[in-house]
Amino acid sequence: MRVAGLLLAAGAGRRFGGPKALVSHGGALWVESAGAVLRDAGCVPVVVVLGAGADEVRARASLGDAVVVENAAWATGMGSSLRAGLAALDESADAVVVLPVDTPGVRAEAVRRFVDLASPEALARASYDGAPGHPVLIGRDHWAAVSASAAGDSGAREYLRTHGAAAVPCEDVAVGADVDRPEDLP
C-alpha cells in the first residue's frame, strides 16, 4: 500500500496568538516536526496545506520534499484545508494519514499504526483513553465523500463517526491533545 501524509497547517491560530505552523519548539517549527513525523512513519508523499502566514512559513520552514498546497479559503475552517489536501493527492496513493499541525505530541510510532492498516477501504482514527483524536486514516474509496462532507472546523469528524471509523488506541505512544493556546503546551 502506498500511504500519503496530509499535514493541515493553514489556520491562523487566533487563540494561540499566530499561525501554529510557525510555533517553534525544541529548535524546529511545528510544521517541520509534523512533516518529519509523517515522513518517518513511511508516508509518501507528504502534502502540507498552508493558509494563514503561508509566505512566512515558506520563507522560514524547511519542508524538504513536501508538496505544498496553499488553501486560499483557509479562513473558512479545517474542512477547506482537508478538501485542498485530498485534491492534491495523486492516483498512486491508496490511503492518506491526516495530521493537524497543532498535535505536537503525536509521534511516528502512532502514525505507523495507521500506515500498517492502510487500504483503499480503510477508515480509522486515533483514540486516547477512549476519546477520538488524530491522526486519521482515510482510504481512497472515501476521499470524494469526505471532501463533499468536510465543512467548517469539523473536517471529517462527522463522516468518521457515521461511517464507523475504527478506533486505534494510541495513548501508549503519543499525546493526542490539540494545542490551542500557549498555556496548553506541556
Side-chain angles (χ1 to χ4, degrees):
M1 289 289 122
R2 183 151 182 227
V3 184
L6 176 53
L7 177 57
L8 304 179
R14 286 177 194 88
R15 290 178 287 175
F16 199 89
K20 291 183 240 176
L22 293 166
V23 174
S24 182
H25 186 72
L29 298 175
W30 278 1
V31 69
E32 296 168 335
S33 299
V37 163
L38 291 168
R39 268 188 222 89
D40 291 349
C43 296
V44 177
V46 172
V47 174
V48 178
V49 181
L50 300 177
D55 290 341
E56 187 176 355
V57 174
R58 287 178 194 269
R60 291 183 48 199
S62 176
L63 299 175
D65 61 353
V67 175
V68 178
V69 174
E70 194 160 334
N71 175 15
W74 64 266
T76 64
M78 184 173 36
S80 64
S81 291
L82 180 58
R83 287 191 305 275
L86 289 173
L89 294 171
D90 65 33
E91 295 295 320
S92 66
D94 298 296
V96 63
V97 176
V98 181
L99 185 66
V101 75
D102 65 352
T103 55
V106 174
R107 300 286 173 242
E109 294 82 5
V111 175
R112 274 191 212 101
R113 291 183 178 175
F114 294 89
V115 170
D116 292 344
L117 293 173
S119 74
E121 311 80 36
L123 197 60
R125 68 181 326 165
S127 70
Y128 297 92
D129 298 317
H134 288 93
V136 167
L137 174 68
I138 305 171
R140 174 176 284 291
D141 292 354
H142 296 279
W143 292 358
V146 166
S147 289
S149 67
D153 278 327
S154 64
R157 182 181 310 137
E158 187 63 18
Y159 186 90
L160 295 167
R161 187 186 67 73
T162 60
H163 289 82
V168 178
C170 291
E171 61 272 353
D172 62 321
V173 294
V175 175
D178 293 354
V179 177
D180 291 326
R181 295 172 294 280
E183 57 269 21
D184 295 337
L185 287 167

